[in-house]
Amino acid sequence: MHTSMTELLENLKPGLLWVGADGVVRYANRSGSRRTGLGAGRRVADPELARAVITAAMGQVERQMTLAAGGAAQPGVECRVIPGLEGDDAFVFVGNGDEPDAGLGMDTLMQAIRGDLRDPLRAARAALELARQTDPDHGDELVFDALLDRVDGLLQVADKLVDLATLWDGQSLLADDRVELWSLLQQVWCEVEPLALGRQVRVRFTTDVDGRELAALYGSARWIRRVFVECLQGAVRMAPRGSEIEVEHLQDGPRASIVLRNCPLFADGGRGADAVARKLCRHVLALHGGRLREELDGRSRHLVIELPTGAPHRSDESQLAIAQAQHYARDLAQLVNRARRTGRAAPADAV
Amino acid sequence: MKRVLIVEDQADIRKLIRMTLEFEDYEIHEASDGASGLRMARHLKPDLMLLDVMMPGELDGLQVCHHVKSDAETQHIRVVLLTARGQARDREVGREAGADEYLVKPFSPLQLIETIERLLVVS
């Protein structure tokens, strides 16, 4: 299996088994192995799961089931069995029912693997067949150029899918970097500028206030940067040669908007790498309390990246308050003694 | 009586700071976000501000600190930044914003009082 795919599947929180119609496990990620005791090369012993795999592989029918646990005291494991990639295989997602977003994530992943990786791969294979049949003196170069383009496209999709899978892991977004959006935009522009120069596309950045006065945001600098890169690169690639893109940074109370004017990027949901990039951007922004949206202004279509500024609410905030209270309780006796020494009474609610 | 302004979005931590300061003779004021903290600083001109760094909204603690320290009317105000971020780079950014002190949460209330006393004596 390609290393990108292995990384992608290992990063998924729910367990995953890739099983052939013969019941032999072709691949199991860590979580899948742990929850079912099955690994690559082993045969599925549970008759109901084996039947579900055959039904999914041969009949292309999805099935939800509960896998009986080893011990009577343990509850069964929820499984979802869906058709695989080749018609003689199935994917078993193990125990994703307890993670509300995971099921949705799986569907997105499978859709992306089928539509954005498998189908183009088949097209590439067909092109290769054609290349074999073509007279070596005629048109080989063109066919191989086309093949290289396709392979590059697939690699881009695979890279973005790996990132998307990393996001589902959730932990990577717990960062609370202080992100100055205006400054980050300029950094990203340095990265995208060569592409824009190559395509003779100009990009104009505007803001209605001094960039240093714009609100900062606390979150993952790495992932927000990634959103900016995807949007700016996509906008530049999509813009007509010689045109200009206007990127406006607006501050509206506790929300910041980055508006890419006259940018139809992601307008139809996109295909291939664009579709995965759109999902990636939407996911990163949603996890920061923001969103990616389109704005129609007459015949113009703008892409808007919206983000709340300042610190997000975090579930660990109460932990911090508890830790602070513990420090207060620890110092309380000394605070009271100190107050006595200086002749002051301790506050009424201090004890 | 010295005037202290607490700017902190978490009500529980704000209350704990107030309870700590009530052991001393301070006139205590509170704000729950950066924008209202800056308004109160300009209006009340406290002797010292306890300023949380990460707050929701338009202004975080670093920006409030920068505004306070770059305005002739308020630059005398002593600023103590309070934050859960204790890396050297975070401290450096705090110093660049003009902060006089930097305390990492959770901090010792005794350390807080001693820091305030020291800063107010100097001023």
Side-chain angles (χ1 to χ4, degrees):
Chain A
M1 192 182 293
H2 191 278
T3 50
S4 296
M5 189 59 82
T6 310
E7 191 181 341
L8 173 70
L9 299 176
E10 284 297 333
N11 266 320
L12 295 174
K13 257 187 186 172
L16 173 71
L17 306 177
W18 181 16
V19 190
D22 56 1
V24 176
V25 177
R26 295 180 183 177
Y27 168 81
N29 72 359
R30 272 190 298 272
S31 173
S33 257
R34 187 171 46 79
R35 294 186 198 200
T36 63
L38 291 167
R42 290 189 60 181
R43 189 174 292 277
V44 172
D46 184 279
E48 200 183 341
L49 179 59
R51 267 197 301 276
V53 166
I54 292 169
T55 310
M58 310 307 243
Q60 298 288 297
V61 178
E62 182 181 324
R63 201 170 144 201
Q64 192 88 33
M65 57 166 291
T66 305
L67 185 63
Q74 291 177 320
V77 183
E78 287 299 314
C79 293
R80 201 162 126 247
V81 187
I82 67 169
L85 298 173
E86 296 300 334
D88 67 342
D89 57 350
F91 285 106
V92 183
F93 296 116
V94 188
N96 61 0
D98 53 347
E99 289 157 13
D101 292 338
L104 184 67
M106 285 299 139
D107 288 343
T108 309
L109 172 68
M110 292 316 299
Q111 199 183 322
I113 289 176
R114 282 183 187 148
D116 301 331
L117 277 179
R118 184 188 62 179
D119 296 345
L121 204 55
R122 282 182 174 165
R125 191 184 287 169
L128 196 62
E129 283 296 323
L130 186 68
R132 261 198 215 144
Q133 293 161 12
T134 307
D135 183 334
D137 297 332
H138 296 94
D140 255 4
E141 209 171 310
L142 282 176
V143 172
F144 281 110
D145 281 352
L147 265 177
L148 276 176
D149 281 351
R150 280 197 177 275
V151 170
D152 286 347
L154 287 172
L155 283 174
Q156 276 183 21
V157 175
D159 284 345
K160 289 183 206 303
L161 280 170
V162 168
D163 288 338
L164 201 54
T166 310
L167 278 178
W168 287 329
D169 186 41
Q171 298 298 313
S172 60
L173 278 164
L174 289 179
D176 57 5
D177 311 316
R178 185 173 191 269
V179 184
E180 291 179 356
L181 297 175
W182 181 251
S183 151
L184 187 64
L185 263 178
Q186 310 308 313
Q187 289 171 32
V188 168
W189 169 237
C190 291
E191 197 174 314
V192 178
E193 194 175 16
L195 176 70
L197 286 172
R199 290 191 44 78
Q200 294 170 328
V201 172
R202 293 179 306 280
V203 179
R204 188 158 58 93
F205 292 92
T206 61
T207 179
D208 47 358
V209 289
D210 181 347
R212 286 167 304 185
E213 295 293 313
L214 289 163
L217 171 151
Y218 288 87
S220 168
R222 173 190 164 203
W223 287 110
I224 294 171
R225 180 191 177 89
R226 182 63 190 269
V227 169
F228 288 176
V229 169
E230 293 293 347
C231 291
L232 270 179
Q233 271 182 353
V236 166
R237 272 199 304 266
M238 187 166 264
R241 198 169 274 274
S243 64
E244 183 177 88
I245 301 168
E246 187 186 344
V247 181
E248 194 176 6
H249 185 161
L250 301 168
Q251 181 76 45
D252 181 17
R255 291 189 87 77
S257 302
I258 312 294
V259 185
L260 282 77
R261 300 213 174 273
N262 295 313
C263 175
L265 181 68
F266 307 144
D268 55 355
R271 277 203 46 79
D274 276 352
V276 184
R278 177 170 169 263
K279 283 165 197 153
L280 186 74
C281 293
R282 288 176 71 153
H283 200 63
V284 170
L285 294 173
L287 288 168
H288 281 87
R291 63 182 174 147
L292 186 70
R293 66 180 174 84
E294 269 195 296
E295 207 171 74
L296 290 170
D297 176 14
R299 269 195 277 175
S300 303
R301 204 182 271 269
H302 313 309
L303 182 70
V304 185
I305 301 166
E306 262 188 21
L307 280 163
T309 54
H313 173 75
R314 287 267 160 78
S315 54
D316 59 357
E317 279 175 354
S318 57
Q319 294 299 317
L320 192 60
I322 291 167
Q324 190 60 62
Q326 284 168 342
H327 274 71
Y328 179 81
R330 206 168 55 205
D331 284 3
L332 185 60
Q334 289 181 71
L335 287 167
V336 171
N337 285 339
R338 209 183 125 93
R340 280 193 191 130
R341 276 202 308 275
T342 53
R344 282 189 293 272
D349 56 355
V351 287
Chain B
M1 190 184 282
K2 298 284 187 184
R3 191 175 283 172
V4 176
L5 172 60
I6 308 166
V7 188
E8 162 68 62
D9 64 310
Q10 281 185 264
D12 290 341
I13 292 188
R14 212 165 55 232
K15 188 177 178 190
L16 284 166
I17 295 173
R18 172 181 269 280
M19 284 161 66
T20 302
L21 298 188
E22 281 173 346
F23 280 97
E24 307 293 315
D25 283 329
Y26 295 124
E27 181 186 314
I28 303 165
H29 297 267
E30 295 178 24
S32 60
D33 61 74
S36 59
L38 182 60
R39 270 197 305 276
M40 286 174 76
R42 284 171 175 159
H43 175 66
L44 293 167
K45 297 195 175 53
D47 299 286
L48 184 139
M49 283 176 85
L50 296 172
L51 191 53
D52 181 27
V53 172
M54 283 174 59
M55 288 184 286
E58 297 155 74
L59 292 175
D60 67 359
L62 291 171
Q63 284 168 306
V64 174
C65 182
H66 178 75
H67 281 294
V68 165
K69 291 294 190 179
S70 51
D71 181 345
E73 292 284 305
T74 53
Q75 64 185 198
H76 68 280
I77 299 171
R78 295 289 178 168
V79 176
V80 180
L81 289 177
L82 307 175
T83 174
R85 300 152 57 94
Q87 302 296 313
R89 175 65 193 142
D90 299 320
R91 290 172 183 273
E92 195 184 316
V93 171
R95 269 196 298 275
E96 283 167 10
D100 297 282
E101 264 297 346
Y102 195 98
L103 290 181
V104 178
K105 294 180 191 173
F107 47 82
S108 148
L110 275 173
Q111 186 193 1
L112 174 66
I113 284 186
E114 283 162 11
T115 302
I116 294 173
E117 275 185 353
R118 181 166 45 79
L119 290 174
L120 291 180
V121 166
V122 172
S123 68

